[in-house]
């Protein structure tokens, strides 16, 4: 049953914590904002993850990061004290590469996004191009004639959109022409995060870049990040994950908590992310909030777990 | 009453054309695609406009052009044979400038758009900045610290979005921070055209750039172009335009015809625009088309009018 107010783990007795701990076998945890921030481990969290593992919990990392391959994420994690197998990382670039590989994809991919997408595709033998700056110089008509009219659209079988600080009008133009000149052209995105809320900034997310492109091409992209429950369907089907015995931990309500609810997991919101002020003081206090954003449990940081057990 | 099929003017008798001509006193016509294309007058159209004026019709030009001031549009028109007063041009940049002027706007405007917006605002004494290239160089964190954290957000009272071939992630970032750091900051756009359909290309329109920004800031912009009926409210209120005695001419169904319907005008779709194949063969033949997109009348080009009368 859905609870309208989350339970604060810090207010539970040791006995209640023990009951809670026995209610799940598997932990899926978001990475940035829960495990680390800007490459630095959040205080006490490596110990908390180690503790959960020592209690027999199966731990998976599930991220929407579209600027690092799962190998790079694994490297960050390992360097700062997390002991995890790379295969336990669920990440969009890997999911996109697997999706294309399963379809025996043989064309090229145009990327509006990072070098990491290109590397992730190369790892499964898929050719791609696009990352890095692409600026419209000179007049629009000349650019159209020289850069867009000469695009070999038959050769490109997919457009992948990820976070791209080099996003430009020129990239939108090329991507729309690949997508629209061929109805078979796949259109995929790492995630739909519209904005990254830092206390001092609001950083447009992949979902914002994508919204512009989707508006222009009048088509929706397939998305390979949370909250799409498809990204852990294989683990559920193979019974490695039993939804009612699984806990999803995250720092963003509309991504992590929604994902947990969609998958039928228990959910735990932590307060250690860059947008935590917003999550706790705006989202959770909004009377009209989507009830799938409300976590079952909250805790200031996953680091608290070691003190509570 | 709404007609499900438009009447083709070329199939009417001279007598029927005379009745039609007597059914309106005022003509509002779109510019690019109806009167001219890429700065060249469409064959026979200057003569058609002159003929309508000689028959006593009041003619207004109504455009969504956000890359030229109404002065520049007037100059183009005049140079290629149209005789019109500049005050008869309804254009977004002028409308935005008048809107701000009427509110006694004293702050600065951040423009994601063309130099013309800046010139249009300067003409009413409003300071602005932003047009031209703005590229994120170096690392995102450094850019945030040096370029975004130092933004004087109190000083900026409005963000205006127009067509911008220099659109970048960096501009989205700055615009979102102006809009979100101050709830009083106005958020305006020249138009919502999502795409410009050329037979060989699909060019992202202002509406596509705007969709990304709106997604990021979670706010909708005020728009100063068709199909917003507000843009001719003053003319209707002052009875210079009587809706049921007015004809709207355009080349794009979802912009010009929709605008005409929203204003209560008669509508005429011409087939001389870059997207006319799409309008006639896709939009008008789509069984699920929004019925407000369907014109009352069609004609291959406004140039035909002179032969029909």
């Amino acid at each position: 049953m859905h609870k309208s107010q989350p339970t604060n783990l810090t207010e539970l007795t040791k006995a209640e914590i023990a009951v809670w701990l026995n209610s799940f076998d598997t932990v899926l945890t978001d990475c940035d904002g829960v495990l680390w921030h800007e490459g630095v481990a959040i205080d006490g969290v490596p110990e908390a993850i180690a503790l959960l593992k020592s209690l027999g919990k199966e731990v998976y990392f599930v991220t929407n990061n579209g600027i690092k391959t799962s190998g790079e994420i694994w490297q960050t994690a390992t360097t700062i004290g997390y002991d995890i197998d790379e295969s336990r990382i669920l990440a969009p670039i890997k999911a996109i590469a697997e999706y294309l590989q399963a379809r025996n994809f043989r064309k090229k991919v145009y990327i509006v996004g990072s070098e990491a997408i290109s590397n992730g595709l190369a790892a499964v033998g898929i050719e791609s191009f696009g990352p890095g700056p692409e600026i419209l110089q000179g007049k629009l008509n000349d650019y159209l004639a020289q850069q867009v009219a000469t695009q070999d659209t038959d050769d490109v079988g997919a457009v992948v959109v990820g976070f791209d600080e080099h996003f430009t009008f020129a990239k939108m133009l090329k991507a729309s022409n690949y997508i629209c000149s061929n109805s078979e052209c796949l259109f995929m995105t790492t995630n739909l995060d519209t904005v990254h809320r830092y206390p001092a900034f609001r950083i447009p997310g992949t979902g914002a870049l994508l919204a512009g492109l989707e508006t222009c091409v009048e088509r929706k992209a397939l998305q390979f990040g949370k909250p799409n429950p498809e990204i852990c369907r294989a683990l559920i089907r193979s019974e490695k994950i039993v939804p009612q015995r699984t806990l999803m931990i995250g720092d963003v309500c509309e991504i992590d908590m929604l994902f947990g609810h969609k998958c039928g997991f228990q959910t735990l919101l932590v307060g250690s992310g860059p947008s935590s002020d917003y999550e706790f003081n705006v989202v959770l206090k909004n009377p009209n909030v989507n009830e799938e954003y409300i976590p079952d449990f909250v805790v200031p940081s996953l680091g608290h777990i070691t003190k509570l057990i």
Side-chain angles (χ1 to χ4, degrees), chain A:
Chain A
M1 206 196 79
H2 177 74
K3 292 190 269 184
S4 63
Q5 279 303 314
T7 301
N8 191 331
L9 290 184
T10 62
E11 291 167 3
L12 298 185
T13 61
K14 291 260 174 194
E16 287 169 325
I17 287 285
V19 170
W20 173 69
L21 276 172
N22 284 327
S23 71
F24 57 89
D25 308 314
T26 308
V27 170
L28 264 67
T29 175
D30 176 44
C31 298
D32 208 356
V34 178
L35 304 179
W36 58 74
H37 185 55
E38 293 182 356
V40 178
I42 293 172
D43 221 26
V45 183
E47 294 78 6
I49 293 293
L51 178 60
L52 289 168
K53 288 179 75 175
S54 74
L55 294 170
K57 309 303 177 194
E58 300 289 339
V59 178
Y60 292 85
F61 289 2
V62 50
T63 172
N64 275 4
N65 190 320
I67 56 172
K68 286 189 176 172
T69 62
S70 47
E72 289 166 327
I73 295 165
W74 177 79
Q75 208 132 32
T76 302
T78 307
T79 310
I80 61 177
Y82 292 99
D83 175 24
I84 191 164
D85 193 89
E86 195 190 320
S87 68
R88 291 289 184 96
I89 296 175
L90 307 182
I93 297 177
K94 188 162 69 174
I96 288 172
E98 286 170 356
Y99 180 91
L100 292 175
Q101 205 181 18
R103 272 150 194 78
N104 206 16
F105 185 88
R106 294 264 178 261
K107 292 190 167 188
K108 283 186 202 159
V109 175
Y110 178 61
I111 297 169
V112 179
S114 68
E115 206 62 65
I117 300 175
S118 181
N119 296 337
L121 294 175
V124 297
I126 295 172
E127 218 181 313
S128 65
F129 63 106
E134 165 83 49
I135 301 156
L136 191 149
Q137 272 162 334
K139 290 200 178 290
L140 176 57
N141 279 347
D142 296 337
Y143 185 85
L144 284 167
Q146 289 153 20
Q147 298 285 325
V148 186
T150 57
Q151 279 184 185
D152 188 350
T153 52
D154 288 344
D155 219 29
V156 173
V159 169
V160 174
V161 179
F163 182 78
D164 189 356
E165 72 256 42
H166 299 295
F167 186 71
T168 55
F169 180 82
K171 291 188 177 200
M172 287 180 81
L173 193 56
K174 286 194 166 179
S176 344
N177 281 285
Y178 286 125
I179 295 166
C180 297
S181 57
N182 178 358
S183 62
E184 309 271 283
C185 184
L186 294 165
F187 181 24
M188 303 189 277
T189 187
T190 55
N191 65 77
L192 298 178
D193 306 24
T194 53
V195 57
H196 303 289
R197 293 169 196 277
Y198 285 70
F201 307 113
R202 176 182 282 244
I203 301 176
T206 304
L209 314 183
L210 188 75
L213 199 52
E214 286 183 337
T215 300
C216 176
V217 301
E218 295 165 333
R219 219 172 114 186
K220 290 282 176 195
L222 283 172
Q223 83 110 342
F224 290 80
K226 300 167 283 181
N228 186 353
E230 284 299 319
I231 62 171
C232 60
R233 193 70 72 200
L235 285 168
I236 294 175
R237 249 191 232 124
S238 67
E239 292 176 12
K240 283 185 181 157
I241 292 180
V242 177
Q244 55 275 33
R245 301 276 309 159
T246 298
L247 176 70
M248 173 67 204
I249 307 172
D251 65 328
V252 180
C253 293
E254 68 176 316
I255 297 169
D256 301 314
M257 301 302 104
L258 180 59
F259 170 69
H261 282 293
K262 278 176 183 277
C263 293
F265 304 155
Q266 293 185 60
T267 51
L268 169 60
L269 180 72
V270 299
S272 53
S275 67
S276 290
D277 256 9
Y278 173 79
E279 307 299 333
F280 280 78
N281 298 320
V282 180
V283 182
L284 294 192
K285 293 190 176 154
N286 178 351
N288 302 317
V289 66
N290 177 345
E291 59 173 44
E292 290 194 301
Y293 291 4
I294 308 282
D296 299 307
F297 302 94
V298 295
V299 73
S301 157
L302 200 53
H304 271 67
I305 296 278
T306 50
K307 297 177 223 161
L308 300 174
I309 293 174

